[in-house]
Amino acid sequence: MIVTFESDVDRIIADRQHGSSWLVAEMIRACRSLRGDPQATGRLRDAFGRFRAIDRSMAVVHHFLDALEPTLGGDFFGALQAYEHYWSRVPERVVQTLTDQLDTGPVRLLTHSHSQVVIDALVGLLESGVDLSVWQTESHPGGEGRAALKELRRHGIEAELVPDRPADHDLADVTALVLGMDQYTAEMFVNKVGSAGLVATLLALGKPVYVLGDPRKRVCRLRHSDALFEAVPWQPGVMLVTGEGMASADPGVAAGSADGDR
């Protein structure tokens, strides 16, 4: 099968296994392939129109579209390069913040769904010398935990697939819960269905919860599909890590941590 820009667009729109950061990385790669194409502007306009159909819960996707769409017909590829460069350091900063919170090991982290930000952070922890193992939930509906498990193992991380609701006595050995997020406000964050139950269970066991993302995911009002996503309130023990440092669950602090990059 011949891979074209349009087939890449189809694949990205149809994807249900990855988070918004991964989708944007794929969008950037696909858009970059049109550099030098005399029909690039028209093809990009069509693609951007189709990308708008992606669920609004994917806040990074719509941040990317809002930032780059006005440059179509102008210096789009220069703007694309600048956008990619600016946001590419978020995972590195998230890793540094998370590393400061953890011992070198042994550390066992529980994660849910398939977040590229989380996977990048876990790989960074391993590379920084943390003695790391990961429990990855199956993440139903969809079961994208299996894809996340393969990626973790591909990077050399000791990882095991576990049910979406592990037994409390098993969770006693977990150091912390690490979640991604698709969007957040000062009061709540949105992640895959099942996140709220895991947060409640880990907090009841006295374990910290780290929610990883970047400031592009800060929104004024949450928009998400209730079939796949749920909103989880910020609360004591739940820390927001955006790459600009770490904020406590206090709504005012969580809001302030991201305002500088909105």
Side-chain angles (χ1 to χ4, degrees), residues 83-164:
Y83 184 95
E84 182 178 20
H85 176 74
Y86 182 83
W87 292 107
S88 64
R89 294 197 60 219
V90 167
E92 175 187 334
R93 295 193 293 263
V94 167
V95 168
Q96 184 57 59
T97 301
L98 201 54
T99 301
D100 292 343
Q101 302 303 311
L102 300 171
D103 295 328
T104 54
V107 171
R108 173 173 290 164
L109 299 178
L110 174 67
T111 189
H112 182 58
S113 192
H114 188 178
S115 163
Q116 195 61 47
V117 172
V118 169
I119 289 174
D120 289 345
L122 296 176
V123 172
L125 289 175
L126 184 69
E127 292 175 346
S128 70
V130 174
D131 181 5
L132 177 68
S133 63
V134 174
W135 280 2
Q136 166 68 57
T137 64
E138 294 173 340
S139 308
H140 294 294
E144 66 270 19
R146 293 185 181 277
L149 181 76
K150 288 181 180 179
E151 190 166 353
L152 290 168
R153 288 177 172 173
R154 181 170 61 83
H155 286 289
I157 294 175
E158 180 186 335
E160 179 181 346
L161 195 68
V162 299
D164 285 356

Side-chain angles (χ1 to χ4, degrees), residues 45-82:
R45 287 192 193 281
D46 289 344
F48 271 57
R50 296 186 61 207
F51 286 146
R52 289 289 181 186
I54 293 175
D55 195 292
R56 291 292 307 185
S57 66
M58 298 295 194
V60 175
V61 167
H62 292 278
H63 182 283
F64 170 78
L65 297 176
D66 291 343
L68 273 296
E69 195 164 28
T71 70
L72 292 173
D75 185 17
F76 172 81
F77 292 102
L80 182 69
Q81 182 177 0

Side-chain angles (χ1 to χ4, degrees), residues 200-216:
T201 299
L202 270 291
L203 290 180
L205 292 171
K207 310 287 185 176
V209 177
Y210 300 104
V211 182
L212 314 186
D214 69 51
R216 290 175 289 180

Side-chain angles (χ1 to χ4, degrees), residues 174-186:
V174 169
T175 305
L177 172 63
V178 178
L179 297 174
M181 60 176 171
D182 289 292
Q183 53 184 282
Y184 70 101
T185 65

